[in-house]
Amino acid sequence: MLSASDMSSLMANVIVSFAFIMIIKNVFAPLFGSKYATPPRVSLTAKIGNFLLYPLFYFKFSPTFHPLDLKELKSMASKATKLSDFGDDWYEAPYAQTMSLVNKGNYSPIGFASAHDFFLRRLIAKLRIVDNLKSGRSGANALKTPVRKPLFVVGLPRTGTTFLHRLLAMDPGARAPRTWELFDPVPRNEKDGQVNKDEKSRERFVQKAIDKLELVVPHFSKIHEVGSNLPEECMMSMGSDIPMLFATFHLLIREPHESYAWEPGQAYKNYAKVLQILQHQAVEQNNEERMGKRWTLKCPVHLGLLQFLVEGFDDATVVWTHREPEQAVGSLASFIRATQDMHEGSGTIMLDRIGKDVLSFASEMIKRADKFFDNRTKKQTPRCMVMYTELIKDPIGTVKKLYKEVGYEFTAEYEELLEVYVDKNNKERELLKAFGLNKDKNKKDNLHSYSMEEFGITKEQLEGELGWYREKYFK
């Protein structure tokens, strides 16, 4: 008869052996499958972490690894905040659908924990936002402060939306929400003398989360720069209604495309309320750097949702970035692979599946945007088109042209800020090129590299889906 200590030792050995077998299986499986099958690119730290967490993940020992369930996560969010009002219920169907996809997905232990945290944090934010808007005079005053004539940068991911957004955010007359503001917009301590301390605390929390992300996939920063105090895209906040961010994006662009049927007008109305909260905070704090500024916003996903965006922002100006389809689709596929690296770090990634999904997604989003602009006048929705090649070649000239088109004042102060930023950005890229040479292939490793062929996309397939787009917008 085994003693208690012997039984404990036996169980530990069984669990470790099981985890070892599963990891070996996932590492070597790609070697014997399709040429597009590849192991995820994750750090050694992430590999060790997934290895150690696998038994907990497989046997669901921890609540973090329980199958995602909206009712359970809402209960956890309520317990964490001591709040229960989630506001309208539009988000419930997208959340339930996306959670089902995650539960059936090929997530690693770290990836699944990240997805669990994403849903929980966004539900907590939703509770706190609703509570803030109900909190007497402060909430009522926030809702009386309309969001006037915001500018939205839209376009397929990897078409220069981030670079252009960063340039536009430098205008002293504009305000772009920072990552930490979008992630956690409601202060926890608004007492006199505590506001700055509270903001720094929220900023540090978000930066720690970003640091953990880069610990798992260090190459992600080559593709998309993220920082807690950098201007960030709207989906960081809108994730409280539309659960489409790093942890889920690759699933939501796959067939059967349940997300394409979502009609998120309510989500945009809720996002407008978040911006109202941020505006009102600036007034209450007498923060001259943030008060009375025009919102400069950005999110590639808006491209396919413009008909719903104007439900929340009926006086919005839209800037659409364009890049040659071959470059845009290849770069987007590489970005999607990085998000899968992050969340499927102990499985197998099929590059041709990514290619198929990305091409389908790009085609759908562009068709939707094209239809929107064809059926809406410039008076209804002012718009401006920005070509990627022009933006990269002459960033300041591109911004000047954009400002002239939409009727904004381009000041000498703003131009000076742009000159400093562009010069610094160019020098940093030159350094990356200089120190990023691969000894074997003479390849610049420190800059983002990609190709359509890597993801099984042929020129014929690209032309079949997006040839009309090139013909219409790139003449």
Side-chain angles (χ1 to χ4, degrees), residues 326-349:
E326 184 171 346
Q327 297 174 350
V329 170
S331 185
L332 175 55
S334 180
F335 171 80
I336 295 298
R337 180 187 176 180
T339 66
Q340 283 191 254
D341 287 338
M342 198 183 305
H343 296 95
E344 299 186 6
S346 58
T348 299
I349 291 176

Side-chain angles (χ1 to χ4, degrees), residues 4-14:
S5 61
D6 289 338
M7 181 63 75
S8 177
S9 177
L10 177 61
M11 286 299 296
N13 286 330
V14 168

Side-chain angles (χ1 to χ4, degrees), residues 122-137:
R122 297 328 305 150
L123 288 170
I124 288 174
K126 177 177 277 290
L127 283 169
R128 299 185 69 243
I129 289 165
V130 171
D131 181 67
N132 181 269
L133 291 170
K134 293 192 317 184
S135 61
R137 187 171 59 86

Side-chain angles (χ1 to χ4, degrees), residues 179-224:
T179 306
W180 67 268
E181 290 181 297
L182 293 169
F183 183 84
D184 193 8
V186 179
R188 286 168 170 76
N189 190 344
E190 296 184 270
K191 294 179 181 179
D192 291 341
Q194 297 298 312
V195 173
N196 289 338
K197 185 178 179 181
D198 179 84
E199 289 188 354
K200 289 296 181 184
S201 175
R202 285 182 282 150
E203 182 184 337
R204 283 195 301 272
F205 179 87
V206 173
Q207 188 58 52
K208 286 180 181 178
I210 292 170
D211 292 343
K212 289 177 183 177
L213 181 153
E214 293 185 344
L215 190 64
V216 174
V217 279
H219 58 281
F220 187 75
S221 59
K222 297 179 190 177
I223 303 172
H224 182 70

Side-chain angles (χ1 to χ4, degrees), residues 23 37 52 65 78 81 94 188 195 214 265 285 372 380 391 433:
I23 297 298
L52 295 175
F65 298 126
S78 291
T81 58
R188 286 168 170 76
V195 173
E214 293 185 344
Q285 298 164 13
F372 174 83
Q380 290 174 303
L391 174 63
K433 291 178 183 179

Side-chain angles (χ1 to χ4, degrees), residues 47-82:
K47 291 176 182 177
I48 294 171
N50 280 324
F51 177 82
L52 295 175
L53 289 171
Y54 207 93
L56 289 174
F57 175 57
Y58 187 84
F59 291 109
K60 316 298 182 191
F61 288 150
S62 166
T64 299
F65 298 126
H66 290 174
L68 295 175
D69 177 79
L70 181 56
K71 185 177 180 180
E72 180 181 347
L73 280 163
K74 287 176 68 174
S75 177
M76 294 173 71
S78 291
K79 185 177 180 180
T81 58
K82 296 181 174 59

Side-chain angles (χ1 to χ4, degrees), residues 301-365:
V301 175
H302 294 324
L303 183 67
L305 301 175
L306 291 170
Q307 70 180 100
F308 305 108
L309 182 150
V310 295
E311 290 184 31
F313 305 91
D314 60 1
D315 58 354
T317 295
V318 178
V319 179
W320 183 0
T321 58
H322 299 270
R323 187 179 185 183
E324 276 289 343
E326 184 171 346
Q327 297 174 350
V329 170
S331 185
L332 175 55
S334 180
F335 171 80
I336 295 298
R337 180 187 176 180
T339 66
Q340 283 191 254
D341 287 338
M342 198 183 305
H343 296 95
E344 299 186 6
S346 58
T348 299
I349 291 176
M350 301 302 298
L351 298 182
D352 56 339
R353 175 66 184 270
I354 293 176
K356 177 184 175 184
D357 293 339
V358 163
L359 185 56
S360 172
F361 171 77
S363 178
E364 177 71 15
M365 295 301 104

Side-chain angles (χ1 to χ4, degrees), residues 81-374:
T81 58
K82 296 181 174 59
L83 300 170
S84 60
D85 187 355
F86 289 89
D88 64 87
D89 62 0
W90 182 88
Y91 71 97
E92 289 190 348
Y95 262 58
Q97 289 171 1
T98 308
M99 287 178 183
S100 176
L101 292 175
V102 173
N103 287 335
K104 293 182 286 189
N106 189 33
Y107 280 65
S108 67
I110 290 177
F112 192 89
S114 173
H116 179 278
D117 186 70
F118 163 69
F119 285 108
L120 181 59
R121 296 287 176 188
R122 297 328 305 150
L123 288 170
I124 288 174
K126 177 177 277 290
L127 283 169
R128 299 185 69 243
I129 289 165
V130 171
D131 181 67
N132 181 269
L133 291 170
K134 293 192 317 184
S135 61
R137 187 171 59 86
S138 178
N141 287 340
L143 292 174
K144 290 178 183 176
T145 330
V147 176
R148 299 190 186 280
K149 297 184 177 180
L151 181 144
F152 285 87
V153 177
V154 309
L156 283 182
R158 317 305 305 153
T159 59
T161 56
T162 297
F163 182 49
L164 179 58
H165 186 228
R166 299 271 166 88
L167 294 175
L168 298 175
M170 299 189 72
D171 185 348
R175 179 181 178 187
R178 268 41 186 177
T179 306
W180 67 268
E181 290 181 297
L182 293 169
F183 183 84
D184 193 8
V186 179
R188 286 168 170 76
N189 190 344
E190 296 184 270
K191 294 179 181 179
D192 291 341
Q194 297 298 312
V195 173
N196 289 338
K197 185 178 179 181
D198 179 84
E199 289 188 354
K200 289 296 181 184
S201 175
R202 285 182 282 150
E203 182 184 337
R204 283 195 301 272
F205 179 87
V206 173
Q207 188 58 52
K208 286 180 181 178
I210 292 170
D211 292 343
K212 289 177 183 177
L213 181 153
E214 293 185 344
L215 190 64
V216 174
V217 279
H219 58 281
F220 187 75
S221 59
K222 297 179 190 177
I223 303 172
H224 182 70
E225 183 187 20
V226 184
S228 63
N229 202 33
L230 289 175
E232 193 47 79
E233 59 189 54
C234 308
M235 201 53 64
M236 185 65 67
S237 173
M238 293 183 70
S240 291
D241 287 297
I242 305 173
M244 180 179 279
L245 211 60
F246 301 142
T248 62
F249 192 76
H250 65 287
L251 293 180
L252 292 174
I253 66 172
R254 287 180 183 169
E255 294 178 347
H257 298 147
E258 291 178 317
S259 64
Y260 290 5
W262 298 344
E263 298 183 353
Q266 184 61 50
Y268 281 99
K269 293 173 184 177
N270 291 342
Y271 181 44
K273 292 176 183 177
V274 171
L275 297 178
Q276 287 177 299
I277 289 173
L278 295 176
Q279 286 179 167
H280 185 61
Q281 287 173 9
V283 173
E284 285 193 324
Q285 298 164 13
N286 196 29
N287 189 320
E288 294 184 1
E289 290 186 7
R290 299 175 187 169
M291 280 196 302
K293 304 294 180 73
R294 176 188 66 250
W295 283 111
T296 296
L297 308 164
K298 168 251 179 181
C299 186
V301 175
H302 294 324
L303 183 67
L305 301 175
L306 291 170
Q307 70 180 100
F308 305 108
L309 182 150
V310 295
E311 290 184 31
F313 305 91
D314 60 1
D315 58 354
T317 295
V318 178
V319 179
W320 183 0
T321 58
H322 299 270
R323 187 179 185 183
E324 276 289 343
E326 184 171 346
Q327 297 174 350
V329 170
S331 185
L332 175 55
S334 180
F335 171 80
I336 295 298
R337 180 187 176 180
T339 66
Q340 283 191 254
D341 287 338
M342 198 183 305
H343 296 95
E344 299 186 6
S346 58
T348 299
I349 291 176
M350 301 302 298
L351 298 182
D352 56 339
R353 175 66 184 270
I354 293 176
K356 177 184 175 184
D357 293 339
V358 163
L359 185 56
S360 172
F361 171 77
S363 178
E364 177 71 15
M365 295 301 104
I366 289 173
K367 285 176 183 175
R368 288 187 179 194
D370 180 66
K371 181 180 179 181
F372 174 83
F373 285 121
D374 278 351

